[in-house]
Amino acid sequence: MLLILLAYLGGVLTIVSPCILPVLPFVFSRAGQPFAKSGAPLLAGMALTFALVASLAAVGGGWVVAANQYGRWLALALVALFALTLLWPALAERLARPLVAAGERLSQRADSEEGTPRPGASLLLGIATGLLWAPCAGPILGLILSGAALQGPSAGSTALLLAYAAGAASALAAALLLGGRVFAMLRRSLGAGAWLRRGLGAAMLAGVAAMALGLDTGVLARLSLAGTGELEQRLVERLGGAPEGGAMAMRGDPGAMMMQGPAMMSASAAAAAAPPDEGMAPALDGATQWLNSPPLSHAELRGKVVLIDFWTYSCINCLRALPYVKAWHERYRDQGLVVIGVHTPEFAFERDAANVTRAMKELGIAYPVAIDNGYTIWRAFGNRYWPAHYLIDAGGRLRHHHFGEGEYAETERMIQHLLREAGAAQVAPGLAEVHAQGVQRAADMDVVRSPETYLGYARAENFAATPQPRHDQDAAYTLPARLPLNAWGLAGRWRVGAESAVLAGAPGRIVFRFQARDLHLVLGPGPDGRPVRFRVSLDGQPPGAAHGMDVAPDGSGTVTEQRLYQLIRQPGEVGERSFSIEFLDPAVSAYAFTFG
């Protein structure tokens, strides 16, 4: 219920978002008419159409995007024609004659002072508006769309999109009711009904022009007239229950995954206390495949202490937690601990079991791993985070959980407690010594000021190149002369998809203004698997001593497989820097930046 409320409030906030401006003339074209027969059908059509198209686009693939593009141009033509009828009533009368028989008149005599409005025309205009409306993607809408994209078709995702659209419609309804009163007052006092109607028609044509030029998803998306992003993030943290510095994903929408913080929530208040009983642990049924082991069930694990580690192999937070999980496996496996990794993918390439097997070999993972491509185990645990650790006692009951990085000592003491509780004769004293190196080294959060940033349009933020991303289409992008902190952009010809940006023709660059010790980028070669050469620079120079594991000091490197690449690791003092990576071969896919 809280998620529905959060989505609704996010929709309400769109009224103060700049991306609503091109839609306002369409809504106010019904001002001064009875709300129940004019404004309400328009807003209902807008909300339902937006929710339907957004649901399909999030899960339906490229054909939905292509169909929506055609629908968008058809809607633009429809709304433009409607605007012309407001400017020239004679055109409305001429158009109305052939359409009356079909029952779908574009302009009713309701647009004149003496007519009676019919809901059908308003509903049709609302459907067109729903196809055209492109709300600014703030934190709340990002949560909803990312959850829908990862989890697949879901009544829950559609309900959240409907709640978001209903919130926007409610705010617009309030504005329309107020605007209707102002419209009626002006008409009575000034006798200017015809001029007001023509003014609305001109404003609608201006809105159509803005949308046709992409200004609704371009310039307006980069403005911040009322700080809605910050307001939404506060709502996410207050209603979603995310702790400071952590991530919030949607309970009940298990596919969602948002910003992963360095330390998340823990089940117990003190390491010395006995871990509480959180009920019977969910079954491990539904895995697509098991690696390093045959399928394991509760019956086979009875009498063992079990650590469940939800992870995915390109997740930087999972990689930084991995040395501790491996150390616990080695230290306590002979004393009754069974570690089970549950690999639940974020990106499409992580669904490939061959990729996971290769990554496990490179990472030295020897314990059993369940491939949870369908999110079955994730949903059974009600999980929301990567990484997430759950401890199950010898009786099969859930006794402890921790989300995100950090608090490793507490988790290890809980392991020791449960082993003693299960009757282990000798539990290793003290704590495991972990010396993580390379990409698995702990982040320096004191200097990190840059958030995880996705390059696919479903969750992209702070994009600063021109034009704004053309969804699933090849386009040539240019960069501004200077980027503010945490802004990024593309240069060259790219195709921006829902979860990645793909270089359509070499050369091509990605630039990011960041502040952190480490910079990582999830990359993959083209479909043919051919290596992709690249060059990295920092403030326009080769990185030198600041090069990452996957880059030489001169900035050269090669993308050979789908994984996370460490491109920058700065020694010494850390400040704002300009990062650039130029790809010398085409077809590379870039998914997400992470920092540490």
Side-chain angles (χ1 to χ4, degrees):
M1 190 61 191
L2 279 179
L3 286 174
I4 295 290
L5 175 61
L6 182 66
Y8 179 82
L9 292 175
V12 170
L13 285 175
T14 61
I15 195 66
V16 290
S17 165
C19 296
I20 201 70
L21 293 178
V23 171
L24 288 179
F26 309 162
V27 176
F28 281 109
S29 69
R30 313 316 269 170
Q33 300 179 9
F35 180 77
K37 293 185 177 181
S38 183
L42 182 148
L43 294 173
M46 171 184 164
L48 291 172
T49 304
F50 167 77
L52 175 62
V53 171
S55 296
L56 290 174
V59 301
W63 70 271
V64 177
V65 175
N68 185 51
Q69 289 297 321
Y70 290 117
R72 180 178 171 87
W73 285 108
L74 180 62
L76 279 171
L78 175 66
V79 174
L81 193 56
F82 184 89
L84 291 173
T85 65
L86 290 175
L87 286 168
W88 292 288
L91 176 62
E93 294 178 4
R94 184 165 298 186
L95 287 173
R97 294 191 192 106
L99 294 174
V100 166
E104 291 183 282
R105 296 191 301 175
L106 291 173
S107 177
Q108 303 293 334
R109 294 187 183 274
D111 297 322
S112 66
E113 297 182 19
E114 63 274 11
T116 301
R118 290 189 179 182
S122 295
L123 180 64
L124 184 62
L125 181 60
I127 290 171
T129 305
L131 287 170
L132 296 174
W133 181 40
C136 295
I140 293 176
L141 185 59
L143 272 172
I144 299 169
L145 292 177
S146 62
L150 285 169
Q151 187 187 13
S154 159
S157 298
T158 301
L160 290 171
L161 285 166
L162 278 172
Y164 185 89
S170 299
L172 288 170
L176 182 56
L177 288 170
L178 178 62
R181 293 179 182 178
V182 174
F183 185 95
M185 181 185 68
L186 291 173
R187 188 170 58 186
R188 286 195 304 268
S189 61
L190 302 178
W195 285 106
L196 287 172
R197 184 180 60 242
R198 291 189 179 111
L200 285 171
M204 289 180 71
L205 284 177
V208 168
M211 290 178 173
L213 294 172
L215 299 181
D216 56 327
T217 57
V219 174
L220 294 178
R222 291 201 292 267
L223 295 177
S224 180
L225 298 183
T228 55
E230 182 177 350
L231 287 173
E232 288 188 35
Q233 189 60 46
R234 290 179 182 174
L235 283 172
V236 167
E237 292 170 358
R238 182 173 295 273
L239 296 181
E244 184 178 355
M248 196 285 261
M250 293 177 283
R251 176 74 67 181
D253 195 356
M257 178 274 195
M258 301 306 293
M259 300 167 291
Q260 308 149 331
M264 301 298 295
M265 299 180 292
S266 176
S268 58
D277 188 334
E278 301 180 17
M280 286 300 297
L284 299 174
D285 302 334
T288 310
Q289 184 177 345
W290 283 77
L291 304 176
N292 291 346
S293 169
L296 297 174
S297 66
H298 275 321
E300 293 166 300
L301 295 169
R302 185 73 63 179
K304 301 287 187 180
V305 175
V306 180
L307 170 65
I308 303 293
D309 172 31
F310 283 94
W311 72 297
T312 186
Y313 80 81
S314 73
C315 160
I316 184 60
N317 308 84
C318 301
L319 294 174
R320 290 196 290 243
L322 187 60
Y324 294 89
V325 178
K326 290 165 56 180
W328 297 333
H329 167 68
E330 292 294 332
R331 184 176 172 88
Y332 299 109
R333 63 179 175 178
D334 293 334
Q335 299 166 49
L337 177 69
V338 176
V339 175
I340 298 176
V342 178
H343 187 274
T344 312
E346 179 181 10
F347 299 117
F349 66 81
E350 293 174 313
R351 297 176 180 272
D352 187 335
N355 285 345
V356 181
T357 301
R358 173 192 51 74
M360 288 172 57
K361 183 177 180 180
E362 293 175 354
L363 294 168
I365 296 175
Y367 48 79
V369 171
I371 304 296
D372 188 29
N373 284 350
Y375 280 72
T376 305
I377 304 174
W378 177 289
R379 281 193 291 268
F381 276 78
N383 188 48
R384 299 186 291 168
Y385 306 95
W386 287 284
H389 298 144
Y390 296 85
L391 280 173
I392 302 170
D393 67 17
R397 303 190 70 81
L398 188 60
R399 300 291 297 278
H400 176 80
H401 64 262
H402 180 266
F403 302 143
E405 300 175 52
E407 298 191 19
Y408 301 113
E410 180 182 354
T411 300
E412 186 169 0
R413 291 190 183 101
M414 290 297 176
I415 292 172
Q416 294 171 342
H417 181 97
L418 293 178
L419 288 173
R420 293 190 189 98
E421 193 178 87
Q426 290 185 338
V427 176
L431 300 175
E433 292 188 10
V434 174
H435 303 286
Q437 301 295 325
V439 73
Q440 297 178 344
R441 181 180 168 189
D444 184 356
M445 298 308 298
D446 291 337
V447 299
V448 174
R449 291 181 57 204
S450 295
E452 182 174 24
T453 301
Y454 293 90
L455 278 65
Y457 61 75
R459 289 180 281 178
E461 292 183 307
N462 300 324
F463 184 82
T466 303
Q468 280 292 296
R470 302 297 190 214
H471 295 187
D472 300 299
Q473 299 177 20
D474 290 357
Y477 295 91
T478 57
L479 291 162
R482 182 173 176 80
L483 294 175
L485 181 64
N486 297 329
W488 66 280
L490 304 171
R493 193 161 190 82
W494 293 81
R495 172 175 290 244
V496 180
E499 70 173 24
S500 67
V502 180
L503 183 60
R509 285 195 302 148
I510 306 174
V511 176
F512 198 117
R513 182 76 174 172
F514 78 104
Q515 180 172 322
R517 184 195 68 199
D518 302 339
L519 179 147
H520 315 96
L521 182 56
V522 179
L523 297 166
D528 59 5
R530 292 182 181 177
V532 175
R533 298 166 298 155
F534 63 79
R535 271 197 308 260
V536 163
S537 65
L538 204 56
D539 294 334
Q541 301 296 322
H547 71 94
M549 287 181 57
D550 297 298
V551 179
D554 66 358
S556 62
T558 307
V559 178
T560 57
E561 56 196 10
Q562 295 164 317
R563 62 175 176 87
L564 180 142
Y565 288 77
Q566 186 187 77
L567 303 177
I568 297 294
R569 166 155 287 171
Q570 300 186 73
E573 186 176 348
V574 172
E576 287 189 28
R577 309 293 296 270
S578 291
F579 166 85
S580 173
I581 181 168
E582 181 180 22
F583 298 99
L584 308 179
D585 302 299
V588 69
S589 295
Y591 294 84
F593 283 97
T594 57
F595 302 91

